[in-house]
Amino acid sequence: MSRVSVTPQEFHFVKFDAAEVAELTSKLADAIGLPADAVIEIDIDESTPTTRVRTDSVDPIKLHLEGGAIEDPTVPRTLSDRLAADVIGRLLLRANDRRSGGFADAPADGELDLMQQTAWDTACMGRLERLGYDVRKPRRQYHFRNRHGFSDVADTVFERLWAADSVTWADIEAACAETASSRGAATV
């Protein structure tokens, strides 16, 4: 079982429980297939209701979350298990992808453009759904369409990424090129 640490250990602005976040993360890591000796460090900025998240390192895996990313939108300042699984699961899958070698040429998370980010997230969320998590596929497809176009080509690429058991950076680049090409052809 992965070693998970959560900072802070005690929350003051939100009603999160560090042990609960660590347990949820450990279950996700096991389901995803991260090595049993993986070290995962999660830093949660509880002082902000914004939703930015990032991966600071993949070995050890270091995730930074703003509190709003895992907060229940219907019960402010409380943890949403579904959103936490959504966000942390997606970041762990991306970290696992980076560790696999198929993403050696991928830019850092902060350098990904919106199309690349959305395509990679689509592949991650499809895998997370197959692991039994509620990831709201229609919402993800709408988000994909906003970045890649409302077209049959974009829908086909979305379904291909969603169904993929694994992806490489080349797959993400090819998906983005395919949707970009179809949008360019439609506007000429």
Side-chain angles (χ1 to χ4, degrees):
M1 185 170 262
S2 300
R3 293 189 324 237
V4 179
S5 64
V6 176
T7 305
Q9 281 291 300
E10 186 176 322
F11 293 91
H12 301 286
F13 299 114
V14 294
K15 300 170 190 162
F16 294 177
D17 181 311
E20 183 180 353
V21 174
E23 181 180 343
L24 182 140
T25 302
S26 185
K27 286 179 182 176
L28 280 161
D30 289 345
I32 288 166
L34 285 169
D37 62 348
V39 175
I40 303 168
E41 300 171 8
I42 300 179
D43 175 44
I44 300 173
D45 182 353
E46 67 173 317
S47 69
T48 179
T50 55
T51 62
R52 290 185 194 99
V53 298
R54 68 177 185 266
T55 303
D56 292 333
S57 169
V58 297
D59 193 18
I61 297 172
K62 294 183 180 183
L63 309 179
H64 177 84
L65 315 174
E66 292 181 348
I70 58 175
E71 180 179 322
D72 188 328
T74 62
V75 186
R77 297 182 29 223
T78 61
L79 181 69
S80 166
D81 288 344
R82 188 190 65 76
L83 287 177
D86 184 305
V87 169
I88 295 168
R90 176 172 46 91
L91 293 176
L92 289 177
L93 280 161
R94 284 172 58 163
N96 199 38
D97 285 346
R98 284 190 184 277
R99 293 165 62 126
S100 73
F103 282 79
D105 296 338
D109 283 3
E111 297 172 16
L112 297 171
D113 66 35
L114 292 174
M115 287 178 62
Q116 294 165 331
Q117 197 172 58
T118 305
W120 196 356
D121 286 349
T122 297
C124 290
M125 299 312 288
R127 288 180 277 172
L128 202 55
E129 181 185 60
R130 287 188 296 284
L131 292 173
Y133 291 91
D134 176 12
V135 298
R136 315 272 166 107
K137 183 179 178 181
R139 177 180 168 267
R140 292 291 171 178
Q141 186 168 24
Y142 182 72
H143 186 64
F144 187 87
R145 287 172 173 164
N146 277 320
R147 300 295 181 220
H148 290 267
F150 287 78
S151 69
D152 291 342
V153 170
D155 287 349
T156 299
V157 170
F158 173 87
E159 290 298 335
R160 184 174 66 236
L161 290 170
W162 191 267
D165 288 327
S166 66
V167 292
T168 64
W169 181 244
D171 296 328
I172 300 301
E173 286 185 309
C176 292
E178 188 175 345
T179 60
S181 175
S182 74
R183 284 191 321 279
T187 60
V188 174

